[in-house]
Amino acid sequence: MSIADDPDRAPARSHLYAMGLTEEEMRRPVVGIASTWTGTMPCNLTHRELAARVAEGVRRAGGTPMEFNTVAVSDNLTMGTPGMRASLISREVIADSIELMGRAHQFDALVCIVGCDKTVPAGIMALARLDVPAVVLYSGSMLPGRWRDRDVTIQDMWEALGERAVGRMEQSEVDDLARHACPGAGTCAAQYTANTMSGVADFLGLAPFGVGDIPAVADEKAEAARRVGEVAMHALERGLRPSRVLTRDALHNAMVSVAAMGGSTNAVLHLLAIAWEAGLPLRIDEIGAVCRQVPIVTGLKPSGPHTAADLWRAGGTSLVAGRLLEAGLLREDVTLVDGRTLRQVAADSVEADGQRVVARVAEPVKPPGALAILRGSLAPDGCVLKLGGREHFVREGPARVFDAEEECFAAIQSGGVAEGDVVIVRYEGPAGGPGMREMLSITGALVGQGLGESVALVTDGRFSGVSHGLVIGHVAPEAYRGGPIALVEDGDTVRIDSAAATLDLLVPDEELARRQTAWQAPDQHLERGVVSKYAATVRSASDGAVTC
C-alpha cells in the first residue's frame, strides 16, 4: 500500500503535501538522489544542478525524486594540514549518512552523485549496504588549465612548491600558475584518485560507461544526468539490486581498470572497502597479482602527458573496455546497470581519429605494474608501491625518520633530505593519524626538487593520486599499533625490491626485539567526537581501513 492510500500514514502525507507533492506523485516509486554537493571546493560544485537534471529524468520515467545531501571533504584544500585527517574519515561518514537516509526513508531506488575522491567509494559502499536498485553518477573532471602554452593541473601546483624551494621558480610564478591551473568546476583533471574511482564505478557496473567521462562543465553533462534518472527507474523495473551487480567478476574488472589506466594507490583501500561492504572476500595481494599481469594502456597524468578531458575526447572508458576485452583481460559474465553487455559498451565507443591516449594491450603505453603490493620485515601485512610501469628496481638506503608529515616537509624544503635516503613518515596510519593523511606535500616537494627518483618515501599514511616517484604507502601494521615501522631509527638500512615484492628493514632480530620492548604508543589526546570514534574502530589499511 502506498503512502497515499494508507489511512495510518495521514500524518506523513501532511508533510508531503507541505512539500508540494500530489497524491499521484506519492503513489509513484520514490527515487532518492544523494548529492555530495559542497560549496567548499570545485570538485562537487555542480552537484545541485546535476541532482535537478537527474530528478527530471526520474519524473520523465514515471518516478518521484527526493533529493538529499551529505558531506564531502576537499583533499586539495586540506592537504598538508591537520584537516587532511578528515578526508578518509569522511568516506565512512558519507557512506553512513547515505545508508541512514536510505533506511529511514525507504527509497525504492537511489542515485548517488559523486565527485571528489572519497565520495565515489563512499557512495558505492552505501549502495552495497542498502541493496536497492541504484546508479552512480560521477560529476566529472575539470578541464586542464593553460599556462605558458601547456596544459597544467593541480599536480603542477604541488610540484611548483618544490621547484620554488630550489630556486627554479619564483613565488610570483607560483602565484601566477595558481591563477591558471584550475579553470573551473570539476574534480582534479587527470588520473588521480577521483577519476580512478570513476573508472572503477564504470567497470563495477554501477555507473553507465561514458557518463563519468564527460567533464563537469561540458554541455553534454546535463542530458547525461537526465538519462541516469531514467536508468535508475529502469533498474527498479528490472529489480536490479547492487548485489546482482557487485560480483567477484565485476570486482576483477574493476581491479583491471585500475591497473590498465595507471590508477591511484588509494584505489587499493577503496576496492578492499567496497569488497568488504559487498561481502566479497578480497585480499590485498589479489590486487597486486592483477597489476602484475595488466599493462598500462592510457598515457594519463601523473605518469603520462594526457588529462581526463583528453581521455573523454579519445573515446573514454568505453574505448578502454574495448581494448581490454579484445585482449581477454575482462570477465564478461557481469551485469551493467544500464542493461548493456561489455561487448555492447565496446561497440558503442567512438574512437577519435588519430587519438594517442588509449593504446592496444599488445603495444601498451607502459608494461604491467601500475601498482605493486610489497611485504617483508618492514611491512608484514603489506604495503602499496606506486610502480607506475617503471622498470623493476632494488634500492637500499639509510632511513631518515619523521613522526609527522609536517616534520618531513620542513626537512625537505630546507635541504635536509639527500639523494639515496629512504624517508620514513610514521604515525600517519588509519588509527595513528588518525585518518591516514595523504603525503602530496612531501611527494610534490621531492619531485619539484628533482629528488622524485632518487629518494624513496615509505609511510603508514597514504598518497594523493597526484603523487608519483618512489612512493610506498599503507605500510601495515601501522606504527601506532606497534608495527615494525615504529621501530625504525635514523641510519637503519631499508631495502626495497620491487621484482621480489619485498620491503625489509635490515636490522638484526635481537635489536628489533630490544626496541619493541622499549616502545610505547604516543598519546593522541583524543577525548571525544568523530575522530576519536574512528581511531577506536578503524581496521588496518590492508583491510581497506573500514570501520566496524
Side-chain angles (χ1 to χ4, degrees), residues 94-164:
I94 295 163
D96 289 351
S97 62
I98 295 172
E99 178 196 0
L100 282 172
M101 286 293 289
R103 294 194 186 283
H105 292 276
Q106 298 180 305
F107 302 117
D108 297 296
L110 274 166
V111 174
C112 280
I113 305 175
V114 294
C116 192
D117 299 9
K118 307 310 170 292
T119 66
V120 190
I124 296 171
M125 292 160 65
L127 298 182
R129 296 175 190 175
L130 291 166
D131 203 29
V132 298
V135 188
V136 172
L137 169 58
Y138 180 65
S139 54
S141 69
M142 71 171 60
L143 298 174
R146 290 291 293 177
W147 191 67
R148 296 183 176 176
D149 297 322
R150 63 186 176 93
D151 282 349
V152 290
T153 73
I154 196 65
Q155 176 182 337
D156 298 274
M157 284 306 316
W158 285 99
E159 292 173 7
L161 299 185
E163 294 187 54
R164 182 195 61 190

Side-chain angles (χ1 to χ4, degrees), residues 275-309:
W276 169 272
E277 300 290 359
L280 300 172
L282 179 65
R283 297 178 66 249
I284 191 172
D285 305 276
E286 295 177 60
I287 302 173
V290 168
C291 289
R292 285 195 298 272
Q293 298 164 3
V294 177
I296 300 173
V297 298
T298 60
L300 298 169
K301 291 175 179 283
S303 55
H306 301 294
T307 66

